[in-house]
Amino acid sequence: MTAVPQPRETAHKRSRANAAFELIQGSMSAQRVARRSPLLASCHRAADGALLGVFLAVVVLSGLTLHWQHRWTMAFRQLEVTRSLSHRLTESTAMLERHLLEKARLPRTLVPTKASDLVYLERPAAASQPPLNHLAMIGAWMDRPIHQGY
């Protein structure tokens, strides 16, 4: 094993890099600002906390917005499917009714009604029927047994 000498940085390069780093470090130092101006440091902390709170609120509200948008989309899709099925059911019912009307023979054998063919009947007298006792009728229903399966 042989030792290879490492090129050393010159003092000038090292001092210039450290000076730039110290300048940035010194200007951004929270301890130095807190010592010089405690009011400004507390304002910085409050602003940082407020920004963090706003960021968290935006993340939470974005999540809720996406969640409810997904729920609304799913409900709208179900509504569209329901409308489509309802329309198909209406069409099927109309086709069945049309088929039954075409195959029915009874309406063709009936005679059209005219006013001269109508017969007028007098209303039956109300005294001929005894008054109904609704409570007794409901009581009779209550005495009947309930069958299994109903």
Side-chain angles (χ1 to χ4, degrees):
M1 222 195 274
T2 60
V4 177
Q6 295 285 336
R8 296 193 181 228
E9 292 183 21
T10 62
H12 178 67
K13 284 184 179 178
R14 192 173 351 130
S15 67
R16 193 168 48 173
N18 285 341
F21 183 69
E22 285 177 10
L23 178 65
I24 293 172
Q25 182 85 15
S27 66
M28 300 293 189
S29 173
Q31 289 84 13
R32 185 176 285 177
V33 171
R35 279 188 300 234
R36 286 186 184 172
S37 175
L39 182 63
L40 183 61
S42 61
C43 287
H44 275 285
R45 285 189 203 111
D48 290 343
L51 285 174
L52 184 64
V54 166
F55 179 72
L56 287 175
V58 166
V59 168
V60 168
L61 289 177
S62 298
L64 285 173
T65 301
L66 289 174
H67 170 71
W68 287 111
Q69 185 178 12
H70 172 71
R71 295 283 306 258
W72 185 89
T73 303
M74 296 302 291
F76 188 77
R77 282 183 189 157
Q78 288 177 350
L79 176 66
E80 288 296 317
V81 168
T82 303
R83 284 181 178 168
S84 172
L85 290 175
S86 174
H87 183 68
R88 287 174 58 189
L89 178 66
T90 304
E91 286 180 350
S92 299
T93 304
M95 286 174 51
L96 285 173
E97 287 177 353
R98 185 174 55 235
H99 176 72
L100 287 175
L101 287 175
E102 287 173 358
K103 296 297 178 184
R105 293 187 179 103
L106 186 61
R108 293 183 188 135
T109 61
L110 293 177
V111 177
T113 307
K114 293 185 260 178
S116 61
D117 294 334
L118 294 178
V119 177
Y120 179 75
L121 297 176
E122 291 290 332
R123 180 183 292 257
S128 64
Q129 293 180 350
L132 292 176
N133 187 355
H134 295 291
L135 292 176
M137 186 169 49
I138 292 172
W141 289 343
M142 298 297 283
D143 293 336
R144 293 183 186 168
I146 299 173
H147 301 292
Q148 289 291 341
Y150 292 99

